[in-house]
Amino acid sequence: TVMRVRRRHLGAHDEFALELYVCYLKRRVYVGEIYLFLTELERVLHCKIKSILIQKFGEKESGWWKRGVPENVRVNCAQAREFDDESVDHPYHFTTFIHLKKIMDKNWDLFSRKLPQSVAGDKKAFLEEIGYLNNIRNQVMHPVRKEPPTEKDFKCVRKMHEELDAKLWR
């Protein structure tokens, strides 16, 4: 290929610099794509979880919110909403992947019938994947505190993005 032909004319230092640059570009692509996949995953989960809870417990806050969402999640979301400068209409908008994981854990019998079949069979593995997604999300959103996501992280997010496609939910 062109890259191999050009490498013949490079010194060892230049070749290392080129490989480092290509690696850097790849990582930037991973982070950008991971961000897009995570954003979509979070939106799908938020929408589907709320919809399923409303179907089961009713539209009123005393139904889906109080009966379907664990108390510690409700309190945490209400606190986050209280400290937000641009408060939104409902504390549910402050749920994180970890909150969504807790909601699904509490109501697993309900969600296991609605999730795509590829993920609904193994509760423990699925909930661990959601926790792992949260770790990757933190790597992307807090780059100065965490190591950048790896190719393994990228593959995991891409796989979950495909498996949790909104069209695959039952």
Side-chain angles (χ1 to χ4, degrees):
T1 66
V2 174
M3 191 71 124
R4 284 190 196 136
V5 171
R6 289 188 179 156
R7 280 188 173 173
R8 287 185 202 156
H9 303 290
L10 296 175
H13 176 74
D14 295 330
E15 186 172 336
F16 173 76
L18 180 62
E19 287 179 20
L20 189 62
Y21 177 71
V22 169
C23 181
Y24 173 75
L25 281 180
K26 229 188 232 185
R27 181 156 287 168
R28 285 186 56 196
V29 169
Y30 288 156
V31 172
E33 286 189 57
I34 287 173
Y35 176 81
L36 293 173
F37 288 153
L38 286 171
T39 301
E40 192 171 326
L41 269 166
E42 191 171 349
R43 286 184 179 147
V44 166
L45 284 172
H46 273 252
C47 179
K48 291 294 188 179
I49 288 171
K50 183 178 178 183
S51 175
I52 291 166
L53 291 175
I54 287 172
Q55 287 174 5
K56 173 69 176 174
F57 300 112
E59 269 190 56
K60 292 185 178 180
E61 193 168 299
S62 61
W64 76 273
W65 181 245
K66 295 274 176 133
R67 293 176 56 205
V69 179
E71 180 182 10
N72 63 336
V73 172
R74 293 193 319 266
V75 168
N76 192 271
C77 292
Q79 288 174 336
R81 179 181 178 210
E82 194 63 34
F83 291 107
D84 191 68
D85 292 336
E86 298 177 26
S87 191
V88 294
D89 63 339
H90 201 279
Y92 181 71
H93 295 289
F94 289 90
T95 54
T96 64
F97 277 119
I98 296 302
H99 296 137
L100 297 174
K101 175 182 169 181
K102 289 177 182 180
I103 294 168
M104 288 187 289
D105 186 25
K106 176 184 178 189
N107 301 284
W108 184 253
D109 290 339
L110 176 62
F111 287 104
S112 66
R113 294 184 303 233
K114 302 288 187 173
L115 283 164
Q117 287 182 325
S118 63
V119 296
D122 188 345
K123 175 184 177 180
K124 184 178 183 228
F126 176 73
L127 295 177
E128 284 175 0
E129 287 288 311
I130 297 297
Y132 187 55
L133 286 178
N134 186 67
N135 290 338
I136 297 168
R137 180 237 175 250
N138 288 340
Q139 288 174 298
V140 171
M141 299 310 292
H142 307 288
V144 295
R145 291 191 276 168
K146 303 274 186 181
E147 289 293 317
T150 64
E151 186 172 352
K152 176 187 170 204
D153 298 332
F154 171 74
K155 288 177 180 177
C156 172
V157 172
R158 184 178 61 199
K159 177 180 146 278
M160 288 297 284
H161 180 263
E162 291 169 4
E163 289 181 339
L164 291 175
D165 185 294
K167 292 175 250 157
L168 300 176
W169 288 62
R170 300 174 277 164

